[in-house]
Amino acid sequence: MSDADVRAILQARSVVEKWAVLGLDDMDEGQIDALQGLIDQQRDAHDDPARFIELDTEFHTLMVRAAGNPILADFYSSLRQRQLRIGVLAVTKGSGRADQVLTEHQSIVDALRARSLESAHEAINSHLNSTRVAIIGF
């Protein structure tokens, strides 16, 4: 996967994920709890990159599906295989990336629980930017 492909996929994810949290006031606590549960499962899968990234993809997919737009959810799902490749590359390429992902996911969930759109957007931007840096270095 080229650097341009990685940037393009992360840009698409940014648009969809930040749009998805625009409706965070309508997101129920059960959905946020489910996101937290996926973080907990990721923590348990820390040393298994394939499982860790499968859970990572589930985390982001659940966040998008919670917005209730099936067209965007289907579009987002169409990125799944490329997201998995990017994710595995990111957590195996650099040391400490899995721990960083857990912290970044927790920031997203904390922002959603606080119903802070600005914080949620910042957390998503930070997460996707650090993924890009982990893979292509800039």
Side-chain angles (χ1 to χ4, degrees), residues 1-7 9-10 13 53 82-94 97 100 127-138:
M1 187 173 295
S2 73
D3 290 355
D5 289 340
V6 170
R7 281 193 302 274
I9 290 163
L10 293 174
R13 285 184 57 189
I53 293 306
R82 288 177 276 190
Q83 288 181 47
L84 290 170
R85 286 197 312 256
I86 287 172
V88 169
L89 182 60
V91 297
T92 58
K93 191 172 182 179
R97 180 64 189 143
Q100 194 176 16
H127 179 51
L128 295 176
N129 286 339
S130 64
T131 299
R132 186 194 71 245
V133 169
I135 296 169
I136 62 178
F138 59 90

Side-chain angles (χ1 to χ4, degrees), residues 56-71:
D56 178 87
T57 303
E58 286 181 40
F59 176 90
H60 291 279
T61 300
L62 177 59
M63 187 170 60
V64 171
R65 288 201 181 282
N69 182 322
I71 302 298

Side-chain angles (χ1 to χ4, degrees), residues 60-132:
H60 291 279
T61 300
L62 177 59
M63 187 170 60
V64 171
R65 288 201 181 282
N69 182 322
I71 302 298
L72 278 179
D74 287 347
F75 166 73
Y76 194 80
S77 291
S78 75
L79 301 174
R80 183 177 181 84
Q81 289 305 314
R82 288 177 276 190
Q83 288 181 47
L84 290 170
R85 286 197 312 256
I86 287 172
V88 169
L89 182 60
V91 297
T92 58
K93 191 172 182 179
S95 67
R97 180 64 189 143
D99 292 324
Q100 194 176 16
V101 167
L102 290 168
T103 299
E104 292 163 0
H105 281 186
Q106 191 63 61
S107 294
I108 293 169
V109 169
D110 292 346
L112 295 174
R113 256 193 225 291
R115 308 295 180 182
S116 172
L117 181 59
E118 181 178 345
S119 295
H121 280 183
E122 288 173 7
I124 291 166
N125 283 338
S126 176
H127 179 51
L128 295 176
N129 286 339
S130 64
T131 299
R132 186 194 71 245

